[in-house]
Amino acid sequence: MALWFGGGWRDWFRSTPAHNTLNLEGKSQSIISGAFNWSHKAVATLVESEPGPHWRLCARHDGYKGRFGVVHQRAVTRDGDGILVTDQLLGGSRVAEIVFQLAADLHANRDGNIVTILRGAEPLMTIHFPDAAIHIRSGGDTPGQGGWVSPRFGARQPAERLAWRGQVGEKGVVIRLAPSPPQTR
């Protein structure tokens, strides 16, 4: 485990691209202004919440409206044995990055547009991306270069960061998360 104390690493760990969401041009949805301040905070709104066996949750934020002219909306829906994550950009279309940051003890195995998440040799789940425009990186010498997690302030561990990059607009992009079938022994 490496130690970090510089502002660049702190800003990385609190940035949008370091989290499991969509970002535009590597920018955060809220703008950092100092160690504990934000010059602009994205305003999030709950759009829809449907409980039950086929639950659905949908929310949006305005963090990219002023800089990019779009509102990011994400819906998370139960789909059979899996979950659909639908990201939309309302008000236009932009090239976006959608990130899934893994924990330090997990690894990814990519086959085309499907990524299997493993703990050791045990497959835990699959992530079905819209196409094969996926990058998997871990570690790196500078913030944002690869994947990192911070288990506590001042410490960092390399961890695989899955990033899909492509055009996102009003129609949205759907990513499916599904459990891996149990292994037979």
Side-chain angles (χ1 to χ4, degrees), residues 106-139:
L106 301 179
H107 300 284
N109 183 9
R110 179 179 158 204
D111 184 10
N113 70 320
I114 299 172
V115 176
T116 301
I117 308 302
L118 303 112
R119 178 175 288 121
E122 178 187 0
L124 302 175
M125 67 180 294
T126 57
I127 303 176
H128 300 248
F129 290 92
D131 57 45
I134 307 159
H135 297 279
I136 302 171
R137 294 190 176 105
S138 179

Side-chain angles (χ1 to χ4, degrees), residues 3-14 35 143 153-156:
L3 298 179
W4 60 271
F5 295 99
W9 281 107
R10 185 172 191 279
D11 286 350
W12 168 254
F13 282 116
R14 62 188 182 141
F153 185 79
R156 70 178 191 256

Side-chain angles (χ1 to χ4, degrees), residues 56-180:
R56 175 179 164 84
L57 183 65
C58 181
R60 65 175 63 136
H61 72 80
D62 68 355
Y64 294 123
K65 181 81 172 159
R67 290 174 287 166
F68 299 100
V70 294
V71 170
H72 175 215
Q73 179 169 288
R74 175 171 274 188
V76 181
T77 309
R78 180 163 182 198
D79 177 53
D81 67 343
I83 295 173
L84 298 179
V85 177
T86 305
D87 285 299
Q88 296 171 274
L89 291 176
L90 308 177
S93 181
R94 308 282 301 195
V95 172
E97 179 183 63
I98 300 173
V99 173
F100 291 90
Q101 175 63 61
L102 301 183
D105 66 333
L106 301 179
H107 300 284
N109 183 9
R110 179 179 158 204
D111 184 10
N113 70 320
I114 299 172
V115 176
T116 301
I117 308 302
L118 303 112
R119 178 175 288 121
E122 178 187 0
L124 302 175
M125 67 180 294
T126 57
I127 303 176
H128 300 248
F129 290 92
D131 57 45
I134 307 159
H135 297 279
I136 302 171
R137 294 190 176 105
S138 179
D141 296 327
T142 59
Q145 192 177 45
W148 292 94
V149 293
S150 180
R152 67 181 182 281
F153 185 79
R156 70 178 191 256
Q157 292 178 283
E160 292 185 356
R161 178 183 187 265
L162 288 63
W164 174 86
R165 188 169 174 80
Q167 199 72 30
V168 179
E170 299 264 346
K171 289 177 98 175
V173 169
V174 179
I175 296 173
R176 186 170 196 278
L177 310 166
S180 288

